[in-house]
Amino acid sequence: SRLRLPARPGAGGRRAGALALALDLALALALVLALGACRPRAEESASGRWRSLARDAGIERPHVVLVTIDTLRADALGSYGNRRVETPNLDRLAREGVRFANAATTVPFTLPAHSSMMTGAYPPTHGVRENVGYVLDDRLPTLALILSEAGYATAGFVSAFVLDRRWGIARGFDTFVDEFELEPSGRANLGSVQRDGAETVERAAAWLDARPEGPFFLWVHLFDPHDPYEPPEPFASRYARNPYLGEVAYTDRLVGRLREELERRELLASSLVVVTSDHGEGLGSHREAFHGYFVYDSTVRVPLLVRPPFGPFAGRTVERPVSHVDLLPTVLEAVGLPAPAEAQGRSLLPDLFEMEAGERAVYTESLYPLLHYGWAPLRALRTSKYKLIEAPRWELYDLVADPEEQSNLADELPDVARRMRKELGELSSKLEAGGAEAPQPELDEETLRQLRALGYVAGRGEVAAAAESDRDRADPKEKIEIHQRIMRAQSLLGQGDVATAESVLQELLAADPQVVDAHQMLGSLLAERDEHELAVESYRRALALAPDHQASLFGLATAYKVLGRGDDALVGYRRLLELNPFDNRALLAVSELQVERGQPAEARTVLEGALATDRPGAGVLNRLGELYVAEGRREEAIELFRRAAAEQDRFAQPLFNLAVLSEEGG
């Protein structure tokens, strides 16, 4: 309503005109006040409004339920516009809460994405750059740890081996259920490295009954939409033409089951529920079948649903760009705790209240092309409208007009591209300069076989991520066919089809003999078949192309060891330790060879060098303890066995050694 000024009054009409104007002003003021009551005042914080709503609802500290769904594209849900799939439970959460339409993962891989969720930090800061060969930096506080120290009961239930506790993701959880085992034959298949989501939800429900009194943080991870897409009935028949969507529909049912468990215990009404995925899936978009290689939105854009236990939030949609790094500060502000200084995200509570917020950009990376092939890494920056991808041939997309990212506007919009390139360059440099080199985990051969079953190359690459040299590297866009073949070979190996995998690798190497990973994979395949002489040839070809390729160095040294060529094996293991002094497999192999040669003192010296590091590894501690026993240093050995058992709580050998020493001691 606008103020209506009266016609110019005569002397007798001035009082009437003044009265009319006063009434109009009063009506206008009342309208302003009414509108102000409907939206938060600029000076009123989102945190203050949240606390007020919590008091009105009688909730002192809400429970927190985080559900992460592996490999779930945002556009695979009905609430995000998909009309070919039924996802009633996730759509209901979207209607009851806030849907974030422009949420992005930090890395399209499971472990680094969850590391960002749990620390609020980008990968250069938390140090986990892909799934294999990294451990979350234990100097960073995690969401579970912060909540646990604040009195929350914390429990995590994960469905995939890549989130096993040994990678550091379990830090802060009072209860953490992973327990992924090999088959009795000693060989892994996909069933041994993932768990059906129904079992995960069942275990989480059992914990809800046994948990201590007070607020809790529950994390449930569901792996089911991941390749291979094999949904159970009736979803297999219903989605026979699109089994990926069948997996999504099945996972939606699991989310509904978890909701029922919360409602049955009258917990949903006092719980903040957050649902997201770690990354999407290529499904052929930009010729990427799976995920991790590119940073297009098919794998980077993720669903994010936030359902508060109270308040006027139902059905709201947020279009501003948000990131996985925002989850930790959001949850902490919602429960009344400050975010740690290391967090690089921002709380999303202002978005929930539709408060004005300044434009910002969020960051995504994939170092997979660099770490595995020596090609250029990919980094991306997204705003509400645009997305820039750093590569030898830069890409700029209008996400509003071109959500499929088909039209590269880098040449058409040079000013936008230039501005975003500058911002991305400054952010990347800042993140890398303040980043952490995550410690490498202890990877035994059984662990490596488990990881291969998931389709991930075992072991991280050795190529330094030097930004100044990236421009001289191959553009991943131009090498996608090679990557497709490598991924097919990995998938075949995971399915146990070794013969076809070997054929794919041989064909790839015939077409392009420069692919280091293909030589290394072929060598590994031959070694598992006990064809160690042929394995040596493959590893040597890989090292001729990349002399410091760590996976090939280890494979070659191990092949020499099996063939009885101990001197040659020691050369390889020692070179590997020069490149990576923390490679526990190499340390153990060197010590074993020296013991076999009658040099136990030299073996002990090698292992003792690892004690000076932050993470000597359970295997190293146990083996050194055994050498101490042989030297009669019983008490020192007991201490090392105890440390080994504490380092890896499902490692049986140090417990057995402690039992033997206890028995001998009466």
Side-chain angles (χ1 to χ4, degrees):
S1 155
R2 67 170 184 264
L3 296 178
R4 299 184 302 279
L5 294 177
R8 183 177 182 86
R14 285 194 183 95
R15 284 189 297 275
L19 179 60
L21 180 58
L23 289 171
D24 276 342
L25 285 170
L27 288 171
L29 179 59
L31 180 61
V32 169
L33 291 174
L35 291 173
C38 297
R39 66 180 62 173
R41 298 190 302 274
E43 67 273 13
E44 187 176 16
S45 71
S47 182
R49 285 181 60 83
W50 179 271
R51 288 194 299 271
S52 177
L53 290 171
R55 284 194 301 270
D56 292 344
I59 299 175
E60 182 178 355
R61 290 194 295 176
H63 307 304
V64 178
V65 178
L66 172 64
V67 179
T68 60
I69 303 172
D70 217 289
T71 325
L72 175 61
R73 289 173 59 132
D75 60 7
L77 298 180
S79 56
Y80 282 81
N82 195 309
R83 297 294 172 260
R84 297 176 298 147
V85 66
E86 294 181 4
T87 52
N89 296 292
L90 289 164
D91 296 347
R92 181 182 179 185
L93 289 173
R95 291 193 304 272
E96 294 172 339
V98 180
R99 181 179 69 92
F100 289 82
N102 197 4
T105 184
T106 57
V107 184
F109 273 125
T110 299
L111 181 60
H114 282 91
S115 297
S116 289
M117 295 181 211
M118 293 299 174
T119 64
Y122 284 114
T125 299
H126 61 60
V128 181
R129 311 307 281 267
E130 63 164 316
N131 278 335
V132 180
Y134 295 85
V135 173
L136 180 60
D137 190 339
D138 58 12
R139 293 171 296 181
L140 292 177
T142 65
L143 179 59
L145 182 63
I146 295 169
L147 291 175
S148 177
E149 291 177 345
Y152 273 70
T154 57
F157 298 83
V158 300
S159 303
F161 180 64
V162 287
L163 293 176
D164 188 274
R165 71 183 66 216
R166 72 188 73 185
W167 321 127
I169 199 70
R171 189 155 43 86
F173 285 100
D174 307 324
T175 299
F176 194 80
V177 176
D178 41 9
E179 300 170 8
F180 303 100
E181 303 295 343
L182 286 171
E183 293 180 330
S185 66
R187 185 173 183 84
N189 62 22
L190 198 58
S192 67
V193 290
Q194 75 171 38
R195 179 182 296 113
D196 187 292
E199 182 182 348
T200 303
V201 171
E202 181 180 342
R203 293 192 179 198
W207 177 83
L208 288 172
D209 290 328
R211 67 184 174 85
E213 289 295 322
F216 64 82
F217 169 43
L218 172 63
W219 171 32
V220 176
H221 165 257
L222 304 173
F223 191 69
D224 302 86
H226 196 285
D227 169 69
Y229 318 124
E230 298 172 345
E233 292 294 354
F235 304 98
S237 298
R238 192 178 302 166
Y239 295 91
R241 294 185 178 182
N242 195 330
Y244 171 76
L245 289 184
E247 292 275 32
V248 172
Y250 171 59
T251 305
D252 178 82
R253 174 177 287 184
L254 297 176
V255 172
R257 191 174 302 169
L258 178 62
R259 179 192 182 112
E260 291 171 1
E261 299 291 353
L262 292 168
E263 289 178 327
R264 184 176 299 123
R265 295 163 178 82
E266 299 183 346
L267 296 171
L268 183 65
S270 53
S271 295
L272 169 65
V273 179
V274 179
V275 180
T276 188
S277 70
D278 50 358
H279 52 76
E281 188 79 315
L283 301 178
S285 176
H286 296 273
R287 300 179 66 191
E288 182 177 22
F290 303 112
H291 56 269
Y293 183 77
F294 283 139
V295 288
Y296 296 114
D297 267 14
S298 52
T299 63
V300 166
R301 182 173 174 244
V302 295
L304 175 58
L305 308 173
V306 177
R307 181 194 184 278
F310 44 66
F313 305 109
R316 291 183 178 176
T317 296
V318 175
E319 300 288 348
R320 283 191 289 272
V322 299
S323 167
H324 279 153
V325 298
D326 299 327
L327 297 188
L328 176 141
T330 301
V331 170
L332 291 182
E333 186 173 21
V335 302
L337 296 172
E342 296 86 351
Q344 294 163 328
R346 66 169 178 82
S347 171
L348 300 179
L349 289 194
D351 295 278
L352 267 60
F353 287 103
E354 299 180 318
M355 289 180 166
E356 293 298 324
E359 176 70 12
R360 67 141 182 183
V362 297
Y363 170 86
T364 298
E365 69 175 31
S366 174
L367 301 193
Y368 190 96
L370 173 69
L371 297 175
H372 289 265
Y373 306 123
W375 304 334
L378 297 173
R379 300 179 178 91
L381 194 72
R382 74 189 297 121
T383 66
S384 295
K385 183 173 177 61
Y386 294 109
K387 177 172 163 189
L388 182 81
I389 299 177
E390 176 191 15
R393 182 161 55 88
W394 288 75
E395 301 168 68
L396 177 69
Y397 297 102
D398 183 336
L399 296 177
V400 177
D402 178 26
E404 301 297 322
E405 298 166 294
Q406 298 297 315
S407 299
N408 184 359
L409 304 177
D411 294 332
E412 297 180 32
L413 300 174
D415 291 341
V416 175
R418 191 179 304 113
R419 184 185 73 250
M420 292 187 69
R421 284 181 66 172
K422 181 175 184 294
E423 186 176 353
L424 177 57
E426 291 173 351
L427 177 59
S428 296
S429 298
K430 181 180 179 182
L431 290 174
E432 295 291 349
E437 180 66 20
Q440 292 194 351
E442 190 174 1
L443 295 174
D444 55 38
E445 288 308 306
E446 290 183 352
T447 298
L448 296 183
R449 279 197 296 272
Q450 285 181 306
L451 291 167
R452 275 197 292 272
L454 271 178
Y456 300 118
V457 174
R460 66 175 169 188
E462 77 301 326
V463 186
E468 61 271 15
S469 65
D470 288 349
R471 68 186 64 183
D472 300 323
R473 301 184 187 277
D475 194 319
K477 294 187 292 292
E478 299 167 1
K479 297 286 189 177
I480 181 60
E481 185 175 347
I482 291 174
H483 175 66
Q484 287 174 326
R485 293 189 184 186
I486 288 284
M487 294 303 292
R488 172 163 163 71
Q490 290 180 10
S491 181
L492 289 166
L493 286 173
Q495 297 166 22
D497 190 350
V498 177
T500 308
E502 181 178 4
S503 176
V504 170
L505 290 171
Q506 295 284 15
E507 290 175 4
L508 169 57
L509 290 170
D512 187 345
Q514 305 297 309
V515 183
V516 176
D517 270 19
H519 288 295
Q520 183 267 325
M521 288 175 64
L522 184 59
S524 177
L525 183 154
L526 292 166
E528 286 191 23
R529 223 162 49 198
D530 291 329
E531 298 180 29
H532 298 286
E533 294 284 3
L534 294 176
V536 165
E537 295 178 15
S538 289
Y539 290 132
R540 288 173 67 97
R541 292 190 189 102
L543 292 168
L545 295 167
D548 296 338
H549 194 259
Q550 293 181 25
S552 297
L553 274 170
F554 183 81
L556 180 59
T558 301
Y560 283 147
K561 180 172 175 285
V562 173
L563 291 169
R565 298 168 60 176
D567 290 341
D568 296 333
L570 280 173
V571 170
Y573 288 133
R574 284 170 174 158
R575 174 57 184 152
L576 184 54
L577 289 172
E578 289 175 3
L579 296 170
N580 177 16
F582 306 106
D583 193 312
N584 291 325
R585 297 175 302 156
L587 285 169
L588 289 167
V590 168
S591 69
E592 182 181 340
L593 284 168
Q594 288 173 323
V595 168
E596 290 176 358
R597 293 171 166 222
Q599 300 171 329
E602 288 82 351
R604 170 174 46 77
T605 300
V606 168
L607 297 179
E608 284 177 336
L611 293 181
T613 67
D614 292 336
R615 284 181 169 272
V620 170
L621 292 168
N622 179 73
R623 184 61 181 139
L624 183 57
E626 291 172 345
L627 292 175
Y628 280 176
V629 170
E631 294 180 356
R633 300 163 63 175
R634 186 175 183 278
E635 294 304 318
E636 292 173 89
I638 289 175
E639 177 60 26
L640 289 175
F641 293 145
R642 286 174 175 163
R643 285 180 60 186
E647 178 90 10
Q648 198 175 113
D649 62 1
R650 294 200 302 275
F651 185 20
Q653 190 62 47
L655 300 174
F656 178 80
N657 291 337
L658 284 168
V660 169
L661 291 178
S662 297
E663 184 179 31
E664 290 176 353

